[in-house]
Amino acid sequence: MEIKDIIKSRRKDLNLTLADIAKACNVSEATVSRWESGDIGDMKRSRIASLAKILNLSPSVIVGTVEDENMYKSSNIDFIRIPLYPPICCGDGGFIEDNIIEYIPVPSKGLESPDNYYCQLAKGDSMIDAGIDDGDLLVFEKTSQVYSGMIGAFCIDENEATCKKYTESNGMIILKPMNSKYDPIPIDPLNNHFRCVGKLKKSIKNFE
């Protein structure tokens, strides 16, 4: 998924019109349309900040790694670059794709080799009681095993993936949302399609 596709997809997910984006960024609808066609090369820093804010995204997702990397450098924050994959569902379920969008910088505190991690944007509100909001950047440690009580990334079938709290009860695996309006997801341990693909290491809030 290219940056232009992320902008358009996110706008539609939030039920925003071209006019809504144009007003928030103080540009014309034609300009927003050009952004969604991939013409973002001369986008001003102020426009990047406004667009990221209304789409509830990190600026790095819009323009690559430059904005966040410069921010970390100016703040003397050590960082590593890890692959960003398409959003993971924090709702009723979503789809995981194998293609890497880009490599983005994240604070290295608490992390080891970049090869051990990947990140995805949270999509939905099923994990808000765990401090995970829609649009947060989730950093996962690559692993095929988590223990009861841990939050991880799980593939429920061949394509569907979700971020939930892992628990076990009466011989069943339960993927528990951290929001009472969502129901737990029971998983048969014999389900050959179910697998753990990551353990949550940190959640990074959007940059203002």
Side-chain angles (χ1 to χ4, degrees), residues 107-126:
S108 60
K109 185 177 181 179
L111 305 179
E112 299 173 355
S113 169
D115 294 338
N116 296 337
Y117 307 98
Y118 67 93
C119 58
Q120 292 178 279
L121 290 169
K123 183 178 181 181
D125 62 356
S126 74

Side-chain angles (χ1 to χ4, degrees), residues 122-187:
K123 183 178 181 181
D125 62 356
S126 74
M127 297 299 288
I128 57 174
D129 289 343
I132 298 173
D133 297 311
D134 184 58
D136 286 355
L137 186 68
L138 306 181
V139 178
F140 293 98
E141 180 180 348
K142 297 176 183 177
T143 181
S144 60
Q145 183 178 20
V146 294
Y147 298 101
S148 187
M150 291 182 174
I151 294 175
F154 306 95
C155 286
I156 298 176
D157 57 28
E158 292 183 351
N159 292 307
E160 190 177 359
T162 188
C163 175
K164 294 290 184 287
K165 183 177 180 179
Y166 178 92
T167 61
E168 297 178 358
S169 178
N170 298 322
M172 292 288 290
I173 295 170
I174 307 295
L175 299 185
K176 184 179 179 181
M178 300 302 289
N179 183 336
S180 60
K181 78 176 186 179
Y182 292 93
D183 294 326
I185 304 172
I187 303 292

Side-chain angles (χ1 to χ4, degrees), residues 68-81 105-110 202 204 207:
D68 288 349
E69 194 165 297
N70 288 342
M71 183 191 69
Y72 291 137
K73 287 179 179 178
S74 65
S75 301
N76 293 317
I77 297 175
D78 293 331
F79 61 87
I80 58 175
R81 294 177 60 164
V106 299
S108 60
K109 185 177 181 179
K202 63 173 68 180
I204 302 174
F207 303 122

